[in-house]
């Protein structure tokens, strides 16, 4: 191969030598494959391409240089990569890798946002809302809780006074909220409580012998006059027994439910609180008609009239003639009358009956004169 050798003239002759990159005796030269025989000086980061009589070194992709010297290209720095905007570029020797940022999912060249809220791959508190953001998420404590969203603790609205319960309601703290319960004696939803009028709606426990007085949130029971107790139980006061009745001393006290009555005793008249003697003798016929009525304090007495005998209420005529209880003369005849008697001198005597004289005595006296 004439082109692959060089002819060197000498005295009386010539010499043929293969050119660099060829081997042989000069008359025949063959190309040396420096790449295969590793007689090249290409960089370890280059590819050796054999050429006729020589070779060529070309740096690998990801490297730059003349082939004999190759240095790594930092695609991340030179922005020569095709990583996603949501990925980080990591330079490697002769290349680079793409890794999706936290909160994204993909091969690095294509990255999709991870919805940590839907996948439950979040650190939000059980008492917080998870709000997805591009590449991340945020946590917000629910109403009734306070904290950074990762840690949320209950707000005691009852304790800190931020509740809206009615002043007549009890605030009961619950997890994340609170309840309002109207106090006993009030009705409503707890946020608005109105007084229950137990007296009007009949829900009171007052005794039938008491009066119900409504007060805010409750009621009171007051025993009626004439009763004693706590209002829910009222017992009749026996004013007669306790001597608190204002009856007259001349009256009898009769206890009645819740009160008493005064009645003047027999022989007295009035309203029971004031009693005065009743004059039975002037107010009507009480004794026998043949008796005399004598009024006494609180009563009266009956005495049969003269000529009668009995207890005054029943009087019988006294027969003075039969009983010999008369004043007639022995010479007179006694005749009983109603309530009395009469005396009549017997024949041959004259006088008023109580005194009787014979007629002969009268004549004798006449003649003597």
């Amino acid at each position: 191969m004439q082109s692959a050798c060089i002819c060197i003239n000498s005295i009386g002759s010539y010499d043929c030598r293969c050119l660099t990159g060829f081997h042989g005796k000069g008359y025949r030269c063959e190309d040396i494959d420096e790449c295969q025989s590793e007689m090249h000086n290409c960089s370890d980061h280059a590819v050796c391409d054999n050429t006729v009589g020589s070779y060529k070194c070309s740096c690998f992709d990801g490297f730059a240089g003349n082939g004999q010297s190759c240095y790594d290209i930092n695609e991340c720095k030179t922005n020569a990569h095709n990583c996603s905007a949501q990925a980080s570029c990591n330079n490697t020797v002769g290349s680079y890798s793409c890794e999706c940022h936290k909160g994204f999912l993909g091969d690095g060249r294509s990255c999709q946002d991870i919805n940590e809220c839907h996948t439950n791959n979040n650190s939000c508190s059980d008492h917080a809302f998870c709000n997805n953001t591009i590449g991340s998420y945020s946590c917000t404590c629910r109403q009734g809780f306070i904290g950074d969203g990762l840690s949320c603790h209950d707000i005691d609205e009852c304790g800190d006074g931020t509740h809206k319960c009615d002043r007549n309601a009890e605030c009961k703290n619950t997890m994340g909220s609170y309840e309002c319960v109207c106090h006993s004696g009030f009705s409503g939803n707890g946020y608005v409580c109105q007084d229950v009028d137990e007296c009007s709606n009949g829900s009171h426990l007052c005794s039938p012998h008491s009066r119900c007085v409504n007060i805010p949130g409750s009621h009171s029971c007051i025993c009626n006059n004439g009763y004693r107790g706590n209002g829910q139980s009222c017992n009749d006061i026996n004013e007669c027994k306790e001597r608190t009745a204002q009856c007259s001393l001349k009256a009898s006290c009769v206890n009645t439910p819740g009160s008493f009555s005064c009645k003047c005793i027999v022989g007295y008249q009035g309203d029971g609180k004031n009693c005065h003697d009743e004059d039975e003798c002037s107010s009507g016929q009480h004794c026998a008609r043949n008796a005399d009525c004598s009024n006494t304090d609180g009563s009266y007495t009956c005495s049969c009239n003269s000529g009668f005998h009995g207890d005054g209420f029943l009087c019988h005529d006294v027969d003075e003639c039969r009983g010999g209880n008369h004043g007639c003369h022995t010479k007179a005849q006694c005749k009983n009358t109603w309530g009395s008697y009469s005396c009549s001198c017997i024949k041959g005597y004259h006088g008023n009956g109580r005194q009787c004289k014979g007629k002969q005595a009268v004549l004798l006296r006449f003649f003597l004169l």
Side-chain angles (χ1 to χ4, degrees):
M1 259 184 94
Q2 292 300 106
S3 61
C5 64
I6 183 172
C7 181
I8 301 173
N9 189 54
S10 64
I11 300 298
S13 185
Y14 63 93
D15 186 22
C16 293
R17 295 181 184 177
C18 292
L19 293 176
T20 301
F22 294 89
H23 68 91
K25 293 184 178 181
Y27 298 101
R28 183 176 177 82
C29 295
E30 294 181 353
D31 177 55
I32 299 171
D33 189 344
E34 297 87 353
C35 298
Q36 189 171 5
S37 62
E38 295 186 354
M39 295 174 63
H40 62 81
N41 61 351
C42 292
S43 167
D44 290 340
H45 302 298
V47 61
C48 179
D49 294 318
N50 188 60
T51 60
V52 177
S54 186
Y55 60 92
K56 182 174 71 173
C57 299
S58 302
C59 292
F60 293 150
D61 288 342
F63 292 89
N66 58 10
Q68 294 178 1
S69 174
C70 295
Y71 59 90
D72 175 54
I73 298 173
N74 192 331
E75 298 88 349
C76 300
K77 230 176 215 184
T78 61
N79 231 8
H81 61 82
N82 64 346
C83 293
S84 167
Q86 309 301 337
S88 59
C89 179
N90 302 307
N91 188 61
T92 61
V93 177
S95 186
Y96 62 93
S97 65
C98 302
E99 185 179 358
C100 291
H101 293 154
K102 186 179 180 180
F104 293 88
L105 184 67
D107 60 4
R109 288 171 171 75
S110 174
C111 296
Q112 302 292 326
D113 174 53
I114 297 173
N115 191 329
E116 298 86 350
C117 301
H118 284 175
T119 61
N120 284 330
N121 188 24
N122 61 75
S123 301
C124 293
S125 166
D126 291 338
H127 304 299
F129 292 111
C130 178
N131 307 300
N132 189 60
T133 59
I134 300 299
S136 187
Y137 63 93
S138 64
C139 303
T140 307
C141 290
R142 297 177 187 271
Q143 185 175 358
F145 293 88
I146 192 170
D148 58 5
L150 301 177
S151 174
C152 299
H153 60 270
D154 174 55
I155 298 173
D156 187 353
E157 298 86 352
C158 301
D160 64 16
T162 58
H163 65 84
K164 295 182 179 180
C165 295
D166 190 274
R167 65 177 182 175
N168 294 310
E170 178 186 2
C171 179
K172 294 182 178 180
N173 190 59
T174 60
M175 189 59 68
S177 187
Y178 61 94
E179 294 177 353
C180 301
V181 181
C182 292
H183 292 153
S184 176
F186 293 88
S187 64
N189 59 9
Y191 298 96
V192 177
C193 296
Q194 295 179 332
D195 175 52
V196 175
D197 190 342
E198 299 87 353
C199 300
S200 295
N201 66 20
S203 64
H204 62 84
L205 300 175
C206 295
S207 164
H209 303 299
S210 68
R211 61 188 176 93
C212 180
V213 179
N214 189 62
I215 57 177
S218 186
H219 65 283
S220 64
C221 303
I222 303 173
C223 290
N224 295 333
N225 291 334
Y227 291 89
R228 181 187 296 125
N230 59 9
Q232 295 183 1
S233 174
C234 296
N235 299 313
D236 174 53
I237 298 173
N238 192 328
E239 297 86 353
C240 301
K241 202 170 191 179
E242 296 185 8
R243 297 188 177 180
T244 57
Q246 298 177 340
C247 294
S248 167
L249 294 175
K250 302 298 184 181
S252 60
C253 178
V254 179
N255 189 59
T256 59
S259 187
F260 62 92
S261 65
C262 302
K263 185 178 181 181
C264 294
I265 60 177
V266 176
Y268 294 88
Q269 60 185 5
D271 59 5
K273 294 185 178 181
N274 294 288
C275 296
H276 56 272
D277 176 54
E278 178 185 0
D279 188 351
E280 296 88 351
C281 298
S282 62
S283 63
Q285 185 69 38
H286 298 283
C287 300
R289 66 177 182 173
N290 294 308
D292 179 48
C293 179
S294 299
N295 188 59
T296 60
D297 187 22
S299 188
Y300 61 95
T301 61
C302 297
S303 303
C304 291
N305 294 334
S306 178
F308 295 89
H309 68 91
D311 57 7
F313 296 97
L314 185 61
C315 295
H316 302 282
D317 175 53
V318 176
D319 190 347
E320 297 87 350
C321 299
R322 179 179 291 182
N325 192 22
H326 55 82
C328 294
H329 194 269
T330 54
K331 297 302 181 181
Q333 182 181 7
C334 179
K335 184 180 180 181
N336 188 58
T337 61
W338 187 254
S340 186
Y341 61 93
S342 62
C343 301
S344 306
C345 293
I346 62 176
K347 189 175 181 180
Y349 292 86
H350 66 90
N352 59 7
R354 294 179 182 274
Q355 294 291 329
C356 293
K357 296 180 180 181
K359 291 182 178 181
Q360 291 180 352
V362 173
L363 291 174
L364 180 59
R365 184 180 181 190
F366 177 74
F367 288 121
L368 288 176
L369 292 174

